[in-house]
Amino acid sequence: MIPYGKQTIEEDDIAAVVEVLKGDWLTCGPAVERFEQALANYCGAKHAIAVANGTAALHVAMLAAGIKAGDRVLTSANTFLASANCAEFVGATADFADIDPRTYNVTTETLEAAWKPDVKAVIPVDFAGQPCDMPAIAGLARSRGAAIIEDASHAIGSQFQHDGRWYKVGSHPWADMTTFSFHPVKTITTGEGGAILTNDDRLAERCRLFRSHGMVRGETTDCRPQTADHKLQDEALGLSSCSLLDERGPWFYEMHEVGFNYRITDIQCALGLAQLNKLDRFIQRRAEIVAQYNAAFADLSFVFCPHLPALHPSSFTLHSSLIAWHLYVLQIDFAILGKPRAQVITELRELGVGTQVHYIPVHLQPYYRERQACTDSKCPNAEKYYAKCLSLPLYPAMTAGEIQIIIESVRAVVKCPKEKM
Ligand SMILES: *Cc1c(COP(=O)(O)O)cnc(C)c1O
């Protein structure tokens, strides 16, 4: 059975993990900092903060941005649950914007249509690896005072062009923070893992704070009004004096915010470092497979292949070779085909081909339906897209033989009676 996604682990990945296991640090050690530095360098960002998983990265980003009860956070209807749930984690309300029917991403138009006065953050999701139109989205969000957290769980390594220059996901100036996931089906993996990237020193500091219990060590903190005298600092915060804490020294730690244990281990980061070295090769291989699929399915009349970014409006031109494809999603008109999706999935499985559905529109989940009285037509494009989507296997370790099996199986199962195999 060929799965829809799978990690690619090679000998040097294994050796890197074994080396950490033989060393002194399993967590909070040098591999974490090395991974963060390598990640920041790869993306061209000033800071990378590695955390336990991509969901934790989104939660930490919400906390760092100061999102709280009474705030509303707009994300894509076409995403994994975590892009919305992170708003609920901090007591805010997750709300949903529709997608563009070609890119499957939110746009300024869909965000604007969903906008309410209490929106304090937007979380655009770079679906399947294709970056959102971040310059335009940032223009809208910033003019309305909302923070921008780009959920780039699918898009590590993707780039886009704006005004004749290329920008990388993770470092361009149109997101305050960008999050990644290193779950095994994502482009590179640490087993479980995630990261927040930012160019902003204060946000980076706050991410580190919330990653580890809201705790700072040493005599002063970078996250609060500072004076040389901690008593004056306490006074500035309106705290009554506490003489037992007058004694300061190397052991000292202090907590100003409720944080979490969202740390990642050195074991995971060693794997991440080894994987990061292969990222460009992985992206290249994924792009080749996408091109092969697109060519193989172009003539199927019920099938719509992933949107080719060259068709973007000229104000936002992308080059397809610079999309780090995470998913390959076909849109299939199951109604005209005369076979329900479940049957197509079963027939493909019988031929050894695993598939997946990305995603059930999040606003249709019972939790959100109950709270927001979301109806079937809140995000019609995401709903229409969902009715037709099917993700085919896509990962670098796929062999030429496996790709051939997938292509032949799809052509056999999803063909109109007149079409040839
Ligand atoms: C995978 C994913 C996440 C969550 O990442 P985890 O590492 O699984 O916690 C969040 N958003 C999107 C779009 C994802 O695909």
Side-chain angles (χ1 to χ4, degrees):
M1 181 78 169
I2 306 165
Y4 91 87
K6 192 185 169 192
Q7 68 273 17
T8 302
I9 299 291
E10 297 164 336
E11 284 306 320
D12 60 322
D13 296 297
I14 295 166
V17 170
V18 169
E19 201 180 306
V20 167
L21 290 174
K22 290 177 176 168
D24 293 329
W25 299 89
L26 296 186
T27 190
C28 302
V32 178
E33 273 169 42
R34 285 215 311 276
F35 180 50
E36 289 180 336
Q37 197 54 57
L39 205 51
N41 289 348
Y42 180 88
C43 294
K46 197 163 173 199
H47 304 280
I49 300 94
V51 293
N53 54 65
T55 305
L58 286 162
H59 187 187
V60 162
M62 287 280 101
L63 292 162
I67 304 304
K68 57 185 189 313
D71 296 341
R72 183 177 301 270
V73 177
L74 270 182
T75 190
S76 175
N78 178 37
T79 186
F80 182 60
L81 304 171
S83 320
N85 291 352
C86 64
E88 306 277 323
F89 293 168
V90 297
T93 298
D95 205 346
F96 303 94
D98 205 358
I99 57 169
D100 176 276
R102 296 175 312 148
T103 64
Y104 318 146
N105 279 335
V106 296
T107 65
T108 47
E109 290 74 25
T110 66
L111 286 167
E112 197 157 14
W115 207 278
K116 298 203 173 79
D118 54 353
V119 170
K120 292 290 157 47
V122 294
I123 306 182
V125 179
D126 300 324
F127 182 78
Q130 187 158 183
C132 296
D133 186 349
M134 293 308 299
I137 289 172
L140 174 75
R142 288 189 174 140
S143 74
R144 298 182 180 190
I148 303 146
I149 293 135
E150 187 175 355
D151 182 348
S153 295
H154 295 189
I156 188 167
S158 286
Q159 299 182 38
F160 61 86
Q161 210 179 24
H162 180 75
D163 281 347
R165 268 190 62 191
W166 286 93
Y167 293 91
K168 252 185 173 171
V169 165
S171 64
H172 64 72
W174 302 289
D176 299 313
M177 288 172 273
T178 300
T179 66
F180 293 134
S181 163
F182 307 121
H183 182 276
V185 297
K186 304 292 161 68
T187 307
I188 58 169
T189 189
T190 58
E192 295 278 1
I196 307 109
L197 273 75
T198 181
N199 296 324
D200 183 307
D201 297 343
R202 183 179 151 80
L203 287 174
E205 195 57 51
R206 284 177 64 76
C207 287
R208 294 205 169 87
L209 188 72
F210 287 112
R211 169 176 64 179
S212 195
H213 306 287
M215 183 176 82
V216 284
R217 291 184 179 278
E219 298 189 23
T220 56
T221 127
D222 290 329
C223 301
R224 285 288 172 175
Q226 297 217 1
T227 71
D229 185 329
H230 60 265
K231 283 189 183 165
L232 289 179
Q233 196 182 339
D234 279 359
E235 241 167 62
L237 292 171
L239 301 175
S240 54
S241 69
C242 179
S243 58
L244 198 57
L245 297 186
D246 286 351
E247 190 195 2
R248 301 273 166 127
W251 69 86
F252 198 76
Y253 58 89
E254 195 170 63
M255 178 193 134
H256 292 279
E257 305 267 10
V258 177
F260 296 82
N261 177 357
Y262 277 162
R263 294 186 305 262
I264 189 169
T265 65
D266 283 58
I267 307 167
Q268 292 164 299
C269 288
L271 177 56
L273 273 162
Q275 291 267 299
L276 204 48
N277 284 330
K278 310 156 193 258
L279 177 52
D280 286 336
R281 168 158 62 90
F282 287 174
I283 290 170
Q284 180 62 35
R285 183 68 191 131
R286 283 169 175 272
E288 287 164 9
I289 299 167
V290 167
Q292 230 177 313
Y293 280 160
N294 273 352
F297 305 133
D299 64 324
L300 293 179
S301 42
F302 307 143
V303 169
F304 188 71
C305 293
H307 166 70
L308 289 179
L311 300 175
H312 266 282
S314 57
S315 62
F316 183 60
T317 45
L318 285 167
H319 192 279
S320 57
S321 65
L322 296 184
I323 292 184
W325 291 100
H326 163 55
L327 297 174
Y328 184 86
V329 182
L330 284 180
Q331 290 221 81
I332 301 169
D333 199 324
F334 298 101
I336 300 184
L337 179 65
K339 268 186 209 178
R341 175 160 49 192
Q343 188 185 338
V344 168
I345 290 173
T346 305
E347 289 181 16
L348 286 172
R349 192 186 297 134
E350 279 161 5
L351 295 168
V353 177
T355 53
Q356 188 52 276
V357 171
H358 301 93
Y359 290 101
I360 298 174
V362 184
H363 64 284
L364 299 183
Q365 293 294 344
Y367 174 90
Y368 289 109
R369 282 217 313 271
E370 210 173 284
R371 272 158 192 78
Q372 305 187 1
C374 290
T375 56
D376 275 7
S377 51
K378 183 178 169 79
C379 298
N381 291 339
E383 291 153 24
K384 277 184 216 138
Y385 158 85
Y386 165 64
K388 294 184 178 177
C389 68
L390 191 67
S391 304
L392 299 190
L394 181 63
Y395 51 92
M398 280 166 65
T399 64
E402 286 171 330
I403 295 167
Q404 214 45 49
I405 289 172
I406 294 159
I407 288 173
E408 283 165 16
S409 302
V410 169
R411 290 188 63 85
V413 172
V414 187
K415 66 170 193 302
C416 118
K418 289 198 292 303
E419 279 167 338
K420 60 180 188 303
M421 265 192 68

